Amino acid sequence: MTALYMIIVILLILLALWVLALRCRRNHPAWAVLEKYRYAHRGLHDKEHGVPENSLAAFRRAAEHGFGAELDVHLTKDGRLAVIHDDSLKRTCGVDVKSSQLTSGQLGQYRLDGTDEKIPFLEEVLPIFEGRSPLIVELKVEGNAGALAKATCDLLDQYKVDYCIESFHPLAVRWLKKNRPDVCRGQLSQNFMKHERTGMGWLADFAMTHLLTNFLTVPDFIAYNHHHRREPSLRLARKVWGVREVSWTLRSRAEMEATEADSCLSIFEKFVPTAQREGERTQ
């Protein structure tokens, strides 16, 4: 056996392992509804006109315009699901405290961006979308992946809302695979080697960037930073496994047109698209 032959065999084995690591699930039935909509990032917010991100006003506005919405949930100290992006309230409310360390009563004292809008709880948002457009629910894990995923699923079960669930944290997506395989689940990612490191070290940054935890989570879709969507692992997962892709966060019509031309779902902000997407798309 020549050295060249050995090299070829090793490369083929590595390629096979790479493909297997990227394993995804395709054709979840929820996609028939999800793919018809564009999704307003943290609701259809407009800070300049007094509509903060992840506020009830932003979600009502999204629903009224016929858009779906992407939102973020944190688990409070007493087990409620707060709809807010950052665990810290410093950026959104001007106070240096963490939602995960507050009770729901304490959280209710704060207001968003100097408005009268309070931080909503998920049970306040869900009725807005019942019988209307879908939600993309992001799990914001603070060392509580299982508890957060369970609480979110249990609450969603009580409402007639179309939805999918996503998270950057593989353990949250893994929990869904093991405990709620019926739920349409997604892995959030981006190029962590170049942008916003995970804080868990180089190996974690590499694995998350290249979707190497997929074999554990088997996601129905990958939600990837649209600036980084040419990453080879994402393209290979789409090609081999037929996984669906969600692009975030689009801030112009040109970006939306480019990603939708490549059969991606759109999460957008900073502008209002002129038309709601209609019908099903095929890859």
Side-chain angles (χ1 to χ4, degrees):
M1 185 177 293
T2 66
L4 178 59
Y5 181 79
M6 286 287 293
I7 291 172
I8 292 173
V9 169
I10 291 171
L11 289 176
L12 288 174
I13 291 172
L14 290 175
L15 177 60
L17 291 174
W18 184 20
V19 169
L20 290 173
L22 299 176
R23 183 185 171 201
C24 300
R25 184 169 66 168
R26 70 172 74 192
N27 298 327
H28 191 285
W31 213 259
V33 174
L34 293 169
E35 69 178 352
K36 296 178 181 179
Y37 294 87
R38 289 169 173 155
Y39 295 83
H41 188 231
R42 307 176 193 171
L44 196 58
H45 58 91
D46 185 348
K47 185 175 180 179
E48 292 182 2
H49 292 87
V51 183
E53 66 178 59
N54 275 326
S55 66
L56 289 178
F59 296 124
R60 291 191 190 101
R61 190 166 176 248
E64 289 165 0
H65 279 72
F67 296 118
E70 181 269 353
L71 57 80
D72 313 278
V73 292
H74 285 268
L75 200 61
T76 65
K77 189 175 181 179
D78 55 348
R80 298 276 298 279
L81 291 163
V83 180
I84 190 166
H85 181 268
D86 307 345
D87 190 23
S88 170
L89 304 188
K90 189 170 182 60
R91 179 179 65 86
T92 51
C93 300
V95 289
D96 194 12
V97 294
K98 292 185 176 182
S99 62
S100 60
Q101 297 176 4
L102 298 175
T103 65
S104 54
Q106 292 170 325
L107 198 66
Q109 300 173 16
Y110 301 106
R111 295 296 180 265
L112 295 166
D113 289 328
T115 69
D116 291 330
E117 292 286 329
K118 66 182 185 64
I119 299 166
F121 295 102
L122 186 58
E123 64 266 28
E124 297 174 301
V125 176
L126 294 178
I128 297 172
F129 291 89
E130 282 193 304
R132 302 173 88 171
S133 45
L135 292 172
I136 298 176
V137 180
E138 179 182 345
L139 304 179
K140 290 291 190 179
V141 175
E142 301 293 336
N144 57 358
L148 175 60
K150 184 179 186 305
T152 302
C153 289
D154 288 347
L155 186 59
L156 285 163
D157 286 343
Q158 300 175 39
Y159 294 84
K160 295 181 179 179
V161 176
D162 293 305
Y163 68 90
C164 59
I165 300 178
E166 63 181 14
S167 183
F168 279 106
H169 205 300
L171 289 182
V173 187
R174 173 69 172 172
W175 187 96
L176 294 171
K177 176 182 179 294
K178 292 177 63 178
N179 298 281
R180 290 299 301 268
D182 56 308
V183 170
C184 184
R185 59 184 182 267
Q187 180 64 59
L188 267 161
S189 195
Q190 62 182 348
N191 189 333
F192 290 102
M193 311 297 290
K194 298 178 180 178
H195 183 68
E196 294 185 12
R197 309 298 286 263
T198 65
M200 296 185 287
W202 180 89
L203 187 60
D205 292 339
F206 182 87
M208 293 285 288
T209 295
H210 297 289
L211 306 172
L212 299 182
T213 62
N214 278 15
F215 75 101
L216 296 172
T217 61
V218 194
D220 296 294
F221 65 95
I222 305 295
Y224 217 87
N225 185 329
H226 82 99
H227 290 296
H228 308 154
R229 59 182 306 267
R230 297 303 174 189
E231 292 299 323
S233 286
L234 176 61
R235 301 179 74 176
L236 187 59
R238 287 191 57 168
K239 185 71 174 177
V240 175
W241 296 105
V243 70
R244 303 306 297 261
E245 182 183 351
V246 177
S247 284
W248 58 273
T249 300
L250 309 172
R251 294 186 172 90
S252 73
R253 288 177 176 82
E255 291 176 348
M256 177 173 283
E257 289 171 1
T259 53
E260 288 185 354
D262 204 15
S263 300
C264 299
L265 261 63
S266 300
I267 298 177
F268 70 91
E269 69 177 4
K270 306 294 185 184
F271 74 104
V272 180
T274 54
Q276 182 66 16
R277 67 183 306 145
E278 298 177 355
E280 295 183 2
R281 297 168 300 151
T282 57
Q283 284 189 304

